[in-house]
Amino acid sequence: MKTEWRIFLVIAAFLFGVTVLYGAWTYGDGGRVEWVGTVALLLSFLLCSMCGGFFWFVSRRIDLRPEDRPDGEIADGAGEIGFFSPGSYWPFGLALAAAVAGLGLVYWQFWLVGLGLVAVIFAACGLLFEYYTGTRRTAEH
């Protein structure tokens, strides 16, 4: 995780520098700041900072992975990685629900936005709990 947080924070530092430069340049060129580009660059900086901070926080809590160690070998990373879904219809439902919410924003229909957001929540829960078996053990057994 050491490599990931460094990459994200270097990109975030670059984006912050570009944000300041862009804001100053547009102010000097036209007498006012061009806010759309400045805010887009600032939000990109914040997003990269958030990802870099998350990876930095996680890298402090876990052991070094083979790719983070200078003496790590390819064979050290072998083995089972995890479970990957062979196929699912939930991403289609999630995209459809997001499209309904977006359509509500386009036509400024709040009932359609609400319907789409509720559908997004249900589709995200369906995607999250798709392979949840729900077996519970009670004290009686």
Side-chain angles (χ1 to χ4, degrees):
M1 291 283 178
K2 188 188 317 182
T3 306
E4 289 90 347
W5 72 261
R6 286 182 179 168
I7 288 173
F8 273 104
L9 290 182
V10 165
I11 292 172
F14 170 76
L15 285 169
F16 182 74
V18 169
T19 303
V20 171
L21 180 66
Y22 184 80
W25 197 314
T26 57
Y27 181 76
D29 191 38
R32 61 188 185 110
V33 175
E34 197 277 313
W35 287 108
V36 174
T38 306
V39 170
L41 286 168
L42 182 65
L43 290 175
S44 299
F45 156 72
L46 291 173
L47 181 64
C48 283
S49 298
M50 183 180 68
C51 293
F54 171 76
F55 284 133
W56 173 72
F57 183 73
V58 169
S59 73
R60 289 181 27 214
R61 298 180 137 232
I62 64 172
D63 294 330
L64 285 177
R65 300 175 303 166
E67 53 265 25
D68 292 332
R69 293 192 333 252
D71 63 334
E73 297 289 330
I74 293 175
D76 293 341
E80 184 176 333
I81 296 174
F83 173 75
F84 299 96
S85 176
S88 174
Y89 292 110
W90 284 110
F92 176 74
L94 191 59
L96 186 64
V100 167
L103 197 64
L105 282 174
V106 167
Y107 290 112
W108 211 244
Q109 299 293 318
F110 293 111
W111 66 272
L112 195 57
V113 173
L115 181 74
L117 291 178
V118 168
V120 163
I121 291 171
F122 278 115
C125 289
L127 182 65
L128 181 64
F129 296 115
E130 183 174 13
Y131 293 104
Y132 180 69
T133 57
T135 57
R136 296 186 335 185
R137 296 182 184 258
T138 59
E140 298 155 359
H141 286 118

